[in-house]
Short mmCIF file of all heavy atoms in Angstrom, two decimals:
data_model
loop_
_atom_site.label_atom_id
_atom_site.label_comp_id
_atom_site.label_asym_id
_atom_site.label_seq_id
_atom_site.Cartn_x
_atom_site.Cartn_y
_atom_site.Cartn_z
N ALA A 269 0.84 -1.20 0.00
CA ALA A 269 0.00 0.00 0.00
C ALA A 269 0.87 1.25 0.00
O ALA A 269 0.59 2.23 -0.71
CB ALA A 269 -0.92 -0.01 1.21
N ALA A 270 1.95 1.23 0.79
CA ALA A 270 2.86 2.37 0.81
C ALA A 270 3.54 2.54 -0.55
O ALA A 270 3.72 3.67 -1.03
CB ALA A 270 3.91 2.18 1.91
N ALA A 271 3.90 1.43 -1.18
CA ALA A 271 4.51 1.50 -2.51
C ALA A 271 3.53 2.08 -3.52
O ALA A 271 3.91 2.88 -4.40
CB ALA A 271 4.96 0.11 -2.94
N ALA A 272 2.27 1.70 -3.42
CA ALA A 272 1.26 2.23 -4.34
C ALA A 272 1.15 3.73 -4.21
O ALA A 272 1.09 4.47 -5.22
CB ALA A 272 -0.09 1.58 -4.05
N LEU A 273 1.14 4.23 -2.98
CA LEU A 273 1.02 5.67 -2.77
C LEU A 273 2.25 6.39 -3.31
O LEU A 273 2.15 7.47 -3.91
CB LEU A 273 0.82 5.98 -1.29
CG LEU A 273 0.62 7.45 -0.93
CD1 LEU A 273 -0.54 8.06 -1.71
CD2 LEU A 273 0.39 7.61 0.59
N GLY A 274 3.43 5.81 -3.11
CA GLY A 274 4.64 6.43 -3.63
C GLY A 274 4.62 6.55 -5.15
O GLY A 274 4.97 7.59 -5.70
N ILE A 275 4.18 5.49 -5.82
CA ILE A 275 4.10 5.52 -7.29
C ILE A 275 3.06 6.54 -7.74
O ILE A 275 3.29 7.32 -8.67
CB ILE A 275 3.77 4.13 -7.84
CG1 ILE A 275 4.88 3.13 -7.53
CG2 ILE A 275 3.54 4.19 -9.35
CD1 ILE A 275 4.54 1.70 -7.87
N ALA A 276 1.90 6.53 -7.08
CA ALA A 276 0.83 7.45 -7.46
C ALA A 276 1.28 8.90 -7.32
O ALA A 276 0.99 9.74 -8.19
CB ALA A 276 -0.41 7.18 -6.61
N ARG A 277 1.98 9.21 -6.24
CA ARG A 277 2.45 10.59 -6.04
C ARG A 277 3.51 10.95 -7.07
O ARG A 277 3.61 12.13 -7.49
CB ARG A 277 2.99 10.75 -4.62
CG ARG A 277 1.87 10.83 -3.57
CD ARG A 277 2.42 10.85 -2.17
NE ARG A 277 1.35 11.10 -1.19
CZ ARG A 277 1.49 10.94 0.13
NH1 ARG A 277 2.67 10.54 0.63
NH2 ARG A 277 0.49 11.20 0.95
N SER A 278 4.30 10.00 -7.49
CA SER A 278 5.36 10.29 -8.47
C SER A 278 4.80 10.69 -9.83
O SER A 278 5.45 11.43 -10.57
CB SER A 278 6.29 9.08 -8.62
OG SER A 278 5.64 8.03 -9.33
N ILE A 279 3.60 10.18 -10.17
CA ILE A 279 3.01 10.52 -11.47
C ILE A 279 1.95 11.61 -11.33
O ILE A 279 1.44 12.11 -12.34
CB ILE A 279 2.39 9.27 -12.14
CG1 ILE A 279 1.33 8.63 -11.24
CG2 ILE A 279 3.45 8.26 -12.48
CD1 ILE A 279 0.65 7.42 -11.88
N GLY A 280 1.58 11.96 -10.10
CA GLY A 280 0.64 13.05 -9.88
C GLY A 280 -0.78 12.76 -10.29
O GLY A 280 -1.55 13.69 -10.55
N ASP A 281 -1.16 11.48 -10.33
CA ASP A 281 -2.52 11.09 -10.69
C ASP A 281 -3.41 11.21 -9.46
O ASP A 281 -3.31 10.43 -8.53
CB ASP A 281 -2.52 9.66 -11.24
CG ASP A 281 -3.89 9.21 -11.72
OD1 ASP A 281 -4.90 9.77 -11.28
OD2 ASP A 281 -3.94 8.28 -12.55
N ARG A 282 -4.30 12.23 -9.46
CA ARG A 282 -5.08 12.53 -8.26
C ARG A 282 -5.98 11.37 -7.84
O ARG A 282 -6.08 11.05 -6.65
CB ARG A 282 -5.94 13.78 -8.51
CG ARG A 282 -6.70 14.28 -7.31
CD ARG A 282 -5.77 14.59 -6.15
NE ARG A 282 -6.39 14.22 -4.88
CZ ARG A 282 -5.72 13.98 -3.76
NH1 ARG A 282 -4.40 14.05 -3.75
NH2 ARG A 282 -6.34 13.65 -2.64
N SER A 283 -6.64 10.72 -8.80
CA SER A 283 -7.51 9.61 -8.44
C SER A 283 -6.71 8.44 -7.88
O SER A 283 -7.13 7.78 -6.91
CB SER A 283 -8.35 9.17 -9.65
OG SER A 283 -7.50 8.65 -10.67
N SER A 284 -5.54 8.17 -8.47
CA SER A 284 -4.68 7.09 -7.98
C SER A 284 -4.13 7.43 -6.59
O SER A 284 -4.05 6.56 -5.72
CB SER A 284 -3.54 6.85 -8.96
OG SER A 284 -2.75 5.76 -8.55
N ILE A 285 -3.78 8.69 -6.38
CA ILE A 285 -3.29 9.11 -5.07
C ILE A 285 -4.37 8.91 -4.01
O ILE A 285 -4.12 8.35 -2.93
CB ILE A 285 -2.84 10.58 -5.10
CG1 ILE A 285 -1.58 10.74 -5.97
CG2 ILE A 285 -2.58 11.10 -3.69
CD1 ILE A 285 -1.20 12.18 -6.22
N ALA A 286 -5.59 9.35 -4.31
CA ALA A 286 -6.68 9.26 -3.34
C ALA A 286 -6.98 7.81 -2.98
O ALA A 286 -7.13 7.46 -1.80
CB ALA A 286 -7.93 9.93 -3.90
N GLU A 287 -7.05 6.95 -3.98
CA GLU A 287 -7.34 5.53 -3.73
C GLU A 287 -6.20 4.89 -2.94
O GLU A 287 -6.44 4.06 -2.05
CB GLU A 287 -7.56 4.81 -5.05
CG GLU A 287 -8.09 3.40 -4.89
CD GLU A 287 -8.32 2.72 -6.23
OE1 GLU A 287 -8.37 3.43 -7.25
OE2 GLU A 287 -8.44 1.49 -6.24
N SER A 288 -4.96 5.27 -3.25
CA SER A 288 -3.81 4.72 -2.54
C SER A 288 -3.80 5.20 -1.09
O SER A 288 -3.42 4.44 -0.19
CB SER A 288 -2.52 5.13 -3.25
OG SER A 288 -2.48 4.61 -4.57
N GLU A 289 -4.18 6.46 -0.84
CA GLU A 289 -4.25 6.96 0.53
C GLU A 289 -5.28 6.18 1.35
O GLU A 289 -5.04 5.84 2.51
CB GLU A 289 -4.61 8.45 0.51
CG GLU A 289 -3.46 9.34 0.05
CD GLU A 289 -3.90 10.78 -0.19
OE1 GLU A 289 -5.09 11.01 -0.46
OE2 GLU A 289 -3.03 11.67 -0.12
N ALA A 290 -6.42 5.90 0.73
CA ALA A 290 -7.45 5.13 1.43
C ALA A 290 -6.95 3.71 1.71
O ALA A 290 -7.18 3.17 2.80
CB ALA A 290 -8.73 5.09 0.60
N THR A 291 -6.26 3.11 0.74
CA THR A 291 -5.74 1.75 0.93
C THR A 291 -4.68 1.74 2.03
O THR A 291 -4.66 0.83 2.88
CB THR A 291 -5.13 1.23 -0.38
OG1 THR A 291 -6.13 1.24 -1.40
CG2 THR A 291 -4.63 -0.19 -0.22
N LEU A 292 -3.82 2.74 2.05
CA LEU A 292 -2.79 2.81 3.09
C LEU A 292 -3.42 3.00 4.47
O LEU A 292 -2.98 2.39 5.45
CB LEU A 292 -1.81 3.94 2.79
CG LEU A 292 -0.63 4.07 3.76
CD1 LEU A 292 0.24 2.82 3.72
CD2 LEU A 292 0.21 5.31 3.44
N ALA A 293 -4.44 3.84 4.55
CA ALA A 293 -5.13 4.03 5.84
C ALA A 293 -5.73 2.71 6.32
O ALA A 293 -5.70 2.40 7.52
CB ALA A 293 -6.22 5.09 5.69
N TRP A 294 -6.23 1.95 5.39
CA TRP A 294 -6.87 0.67 5.74
C TRP A 294 -5.83 -0.34 6.22
O TRP A 294 -6.01 -1.02 7.24
CB TRP A 294 -7.61 0.15 4.50
CG TRP A 294 -8.51 -1.02 4.73
CD1 TRP A 294 -9.56 -1.09 5.60
CD2 TRP A 294 -8.43 -2.28 4.08
NE1 TRP A 294 -10.16 -2.32 5.51
CE2 TRP A 294 -9.49 -3.08 4.59
CE3 TRP A 294 -7.60 -2.81 3.09
CZ2 TRP A 294 -9.72 -4.38 4.16
CZ3 TRP A 294 -7.83 -4.11 2.67
CH2 TRP A 294 -8.87 -4.88 3.19
N THR A 295 -4.71 -0.45 5.50
CA THR A 295 -3.69 -1.42 5.92
C THR A 295 -3.02 -1.00 7.22
O THR A 295 -2.65 -1.84 8.04
CB THR A 295 -2.63 -1.61 4.81
OG1 THR A 295 -2.03 -0.35 4.50
CG2 THR A 295 -3.26 -2.21 3.56
#
């Protein structure tokens, strides 16, 4: 989940960032 958020932030995809943040909060 942390890796997903890192990748999402690197590409600046807002929807991917938001979903990754929710997934990280869950894990």
